[in-house]
Amino acid sequence: MKVLLVSAEVTPFAKVGGLADVAGSLPKALHDLGVDIRVLMPKYRSVVNVAGSDLHRAVEGCAVQMPGFLSGCALDESRLPGSDVPIYFVEHNDYFWRDAVYGPPGGAYPDNLERLSFLCRAAVALFAPLGWQPDVVHLNDWHTSLIAVLAKEGSLPFGTVFTGHNLGGAYQGVFPPEQTWISGIDETKPWVPSFLDDNGLNLARAGLACADMITTVSPTYAKELRDPKTGAGVSDLIRERGKDVQGVLNGIDYGYWNPETDPYLSDEDGYATFSLDHLSGKAACKAALQKEMGLPIQPDVPLLSIVTRLDDQKGLDLLSEILPGLRGMQLVVLGTGAKNYEDFFAKQAAMRPEIVAALKFDEKLAHRIYAGSDIFLMPSRFEPCGLGQMISLRYGTVPVARKTGGLNDTVFETGKSANGFIFEPYTAEDFKSALDRALAAYQDKAAWAALMARAMKSDNSWTASATRFVGIYEEALAHAVPSRAKKPAAPKKPAAAKPSAAKKPAAAKKPALKKKPPIQ
Ligand code: GLC
C-alpha cells in the first residue's frame, strides 16, 4: 500500500499545533507496519533550518495548472528524523518562503486560499515527475481538502482519507464568495452545494463531502460532531457520511516522548531520566524544574502545570476564575497566545512567588515540565483529541481534564484504569472540585504512587491506531478504485497533468472565472 500524507505542518519542520505532531509521528508507525508512506508539506523558511544539508532535490520542475494561469514548483526531499520515511517539500517561494505557516500571530495571510490551493494542485501534479503514484492520499484539515475535490471531480486513480483534527468554527477554512474562484473547483458538480454557496467556500465541509473515508482524532469527538448541538455546523455531513466516518484516537511518538531516554532531562541541570521501576528520577526532575523556574524547592508541595496554546478552546477562563483562590500548590504555565491570557498569567506570576508564567514556545522546557510536575491541567472547552494529557500520562504527571473529545477517551477517574481526574459541566466550580480531588489524593503517598503507575501504564502509542488506518486506507482505495481494492498494482495512467500539459489548461472543465487572475 502506497500512501501520501499531506499536511500544512509537520513536526519538527514547522509546527503550529498538535496537527504537526500527528503528521510527524503517525507515518513512522505506518512505516513500521510495512506501508510505503511518504509525507508532503510546503517548503517554508523553517524547513531549511531544520533539515539543513539533508535536503536534496527530488523534482527539478513541475508545471501546476491553477485556474486561469500556469504556475510551477520544485520538490525537495528529506527523511522524517529518526526514520526512513521520505518527506517532500513543495518549493514555491512566493507562497511558502515565509516566517509563519498560516500568518502572523492571531492573523491569516490574505492569500491563504491561493497558496493552499496551490499546494493541493502541486501534490497531484507531482506524482508523474516523481514516478510514484500513491494508492491513497491522506489529507489533514481544511488546508488539504481540495485534493479530495480534485480526485472526485477527475475520478483520479487514488483513494482519499480526510482527517479532521479540529473542525471548530475557527478552523474550517471559510472564504468569501469573491475569493472562491481561486480554488478552481468545478461548480457544476452535484456535490458542490454542500460546501460552496452564496456565502462562500467552506473547505472543511469540502473534505467531509468529497473524501472517500473520513476520520476524526478520537471516538468521542466523532460522536460530538454527529450531534447538531456540538457538531460545529458539520453534523449534517457527518451523519450523511454514516460509516465512512470513524473516530481513530491519535497516539504520541513513544520514541520521542520517553522519560527513560529523554535527552532534555539532562543531569547537568539536575534533571534525570526515569521509568516506572526507577521513579527517583521523577523527584529529581521536580526539584530541577522548581530550581529552573525560580520556585521554592519544596518536594511535598504539589506542582501543577499547563502547557498549551493560550486560546479560548483550552478552558483558560475557568483556570483564570479559580487561580486567585488556589493555595497550597505551585503552578507553571508554558505557552503563548491570546493577549488577555498572557496578561493574566504574567500578573498572577508577578504577585505570587508560587506561580511562574513562561509565555513562549519552548520544546525543551515543555519536556521538563511534563517530567517535573505532579498534576497537569487540561480543562478544555472542547478538545478533538489532545496530546498534552497523553504526554503527561507517559511522564507520570496526573491529568485533571474536562470530559470532552479525546480527553474522555484517555483520562479516567474510576475503574481499573483510573489515571486522572475528570469533570464534565464547563464551570469553574466543577473544575475546582476535580482539582480539589486531585490535591486531596496527592496527600496519600501510597495511593498517589499507584495512580502515577497507572498513568504511566496507559497505552497511547500509535500501534493500535496505525493498524486501524491501514484498514481505512484499504476501504478508501476500494471506494475510489474498486479494481485495485485487493492488490495495489502499478497504476494504469498518471494521476495528473504532466509538465508537457503546460500550454493547455489541465482541468477538463474550466471553472467559471469570476475575477481576473492575479499576476504570478
Ligand atoms: C488539533 C486539536 C487537538 C488534537 C490535534 C491533533 O490541534 O485541537 O485536540 O490533538 O489537532 O490531532
Side-chain angles (χ1 to χ4, degrees):
M1 171 71 70
K2 298 197 206 90
V3 180
L4 181 70
L5 183 139
V6 185
S7 175
E9 39 177 307
V10 181
T11 299
F13 301 101
K15 170 170 167 170
V16 178
L19 163 60
D21 292 332
V22 170
S25 58
L26 168 62
K28 294 186 196 170
L30 289 163
H31 183 83
D32 290 346
L33 293 175
V35 177
D36 178 1
I37 174 92
R38 306 185 188 191
V39 181
L40 182 136
M41 68 176 287
K43 184 174 163 189
Y44 307 112
R45 214 188 278 266
S46 61
V47 166
V48 176
N49 300 337
V50 178
S53 57
D54 282 345
L55 218 53
H56 62 268
R57 267 280 189 261
V59 174
E60 204 46 68
C62 172
V64 179
Q65 185 63 55
M66 291 287 278
F69 64 98
L70 186 72
S71 186
C73 67
L75 195 70
D76 279 357
E77 181 177 353
S78 182
R79 305 263 140 175
L80 278 184
S83 80
D84 287 329
V85 177
I87 175 161
Y88 298 115
F89 304 99
V90 176
E91 182 179 293
H92 184 300
N93 289 344
D94 284 352
Y95 289 143
F96 302 131
W97 195 255
R98 303 184 187 185
D99 289 329
V101 173
Y102 308 115
Y109 291 127
D111 60 347
N112 271 350
L113 179 58
E114 184 173 337
R115 35 203 300 272
L116 289 158
S117 295
F118 177 83
L119 175 70
C120 293
R121 288 179 181 276
V124 175
L126 278 158
F127 303 154
L130 200 54
W132 186 77
Q133 167 70 53
D135 300 306
V136 171
V137 182
H138 186 163
L139 315 172
N140 294 278
D141 277 350
W142 65 266
H143 326 118
T144 51
S145 292
L146 186 62
I147 294 177
V149 180
L150 296 174
K152 197 164 160 106
E153 248 174 37
S155 303
L156 302 181
F158 56 84
T160 51
V161 175
F162 174 81
T163 295
H165 292 260
N166 195 338
L167 296 171
Y171 303 99
Q172 292 184 352
V174 176
F175 296 92
E178 63 275 15
Q179 280 189 28
T180 60
W181 69 272
I182 196 72
S183 68
I185 289 169
D186 178 353
E187 297 181 21
T188 63
K189 297 289 187 195
W191 49 80
V192 169
S194 59
F195 56 85
L196 199 168
D197 59 21
D198 292 347
N199 297 318
L201 172 65
N202 181 316
L203 279 171
R205 290 182 64 90
L208 295 174
C210 294
D212 294 303
M213 291 295 288
I214 292 155
T215 74
T216 64
V217 291
S218 70
T220 300
Y221 191 50
K223 232 185 270 162
E224 288 169 356
L225 288 173
R226 237 167 243 138
D227 182 343
K229 285 202 285 303
T230 47
V234 298
S235 59
D236 58 323
L237 273 176
I238 298 277
R239 283 157 179 249
E240 224 167 83
R241 297 298 311 262
K243 287 210 278 294
D244 294 346
V245 183
Q246 303 199 9
V248 183
L249 195 62
N250 282 338
I252 52 169
D253 186 334
Y254 263 38
Y256 182 70
W257 296 108
N258 184 355
E260 255 184 289
T261 56
D262 194 325
Y264 291 127
L265 304 182
S266 56
D267 42 12
E268 295 139 54
D269 299 327
Y271 291 86
T273 53
F274 60 92
S275 66
L276 203 48
D277 302 324
H278 297 96
L279 267 180
S280 60
K282 172 113 182 140
C285 287
K286 179 171 178 178
L289 180 64
Q290 287 173 324
K291 180 157 177 251
E292 183 173 351
M293 298 282 93
L295 290 165
I297 300 181
Q298 295 169 322
D300 293 329
V301 172
L303 177 48
L304 280 45
S305 63
I306 182 162
V307 177
T308 185
R309 280 182 289 125
L310 300 177
D311 183 295
D312 274 333
Q313 178 199 331
K314 300 295 180 180
L316 298 165
D317 49 341
L318 300 189
L319 181 57
S320 313
E321 238 183 289
I322 68 171
L323 189 56
L326 271 188
R327 292 291 178 272
M329 52 90 220
Q330 298 177 338
L331 172 69
V332 177
V333 178
L334 175 64
T336 56
K339 186 162 182 324
N340 58 323
Y341 294 126
E342 291 199 354
D343 290 350
F344 171 80
F345 288 117
K347 217 163 143 195
Q348 288 288 314
M351 284 184 327
R352 297 172 60 184
E354 72 275 27
I355 298 177
V356 185
L359 303 174
K360 57 179 177 176
F361 181 83
D362 184 336
E363 187 71 10
K364 177 175 173 186
L365 185 56
H367 283 244
R368 293 176 163 191
I369 292 173
Y370 283 117
S373 42
D374 299 301
I375 295 174
F376 189 76
L377 306 179
M378 214 146 161
S380 305
R381 186 186 294 270
F382 75 98
E383 195 61 77
C385 180
L387 303 176
Q389 83 282 13
M390 298 189 190
I391 301 169
S392 73
L393 286 165
R394 181 133 166 91
Y395 284 73
T397 300
V398 174
V400 175
R402 175 144 184 274
K403 193 174 165 60
T404 179
L407 296 171
N408 183 48
D409 298 319
T410 50
V411 182
F412 313 101
E413 185 158 347
T414 54
K416 279 206 299 282
S417 37
N419 58 7
F421 297 86
I422 197 123
F423 67 99
E424 187 158 19
Y426 189 76
T427 68
E429 294 77 59
D430 287 279
F431 178 32
K432 173 79 167 51
S433 76
L435 184 53
D436 284 344
R437 294 196 296 282
L439 293 171
Y442 180 80
Q443 299 308 323
D444 180 341
K445 289 231 151 60
W448 190 259
L451 181 57
M452 274 173 61
R454 284 196 301 274
M456 293 178 80
K457 280 189 206 144
S458 317
D459 183 2
N460 291 304
S461 66
W462 270 112
T463 318
S465 295
T467 307
R468 278 195 64 196
F469 269 112
V470 175
I472 291 168
Y473 294 152
E474 270 156 14
E475 279 187 66
L477 180 62
H479 189 256
V481 197
S483 60
R484 295 226 322 267
K486 284 270 144 51
K487 211 173 85 226
K492 304 282 175 295
K493 56 175 181 139
K498 289 185 223 109
S500 63
K503 278 177 218 99
K504 19 180 183 106
K509 292 192 177 69
K510 268 211 294 186
L513 292 189
K514 291 178 184 157
K515 230 181 153 186
K516 264 181 74 188
I519 311 292
Q520 245 297 274

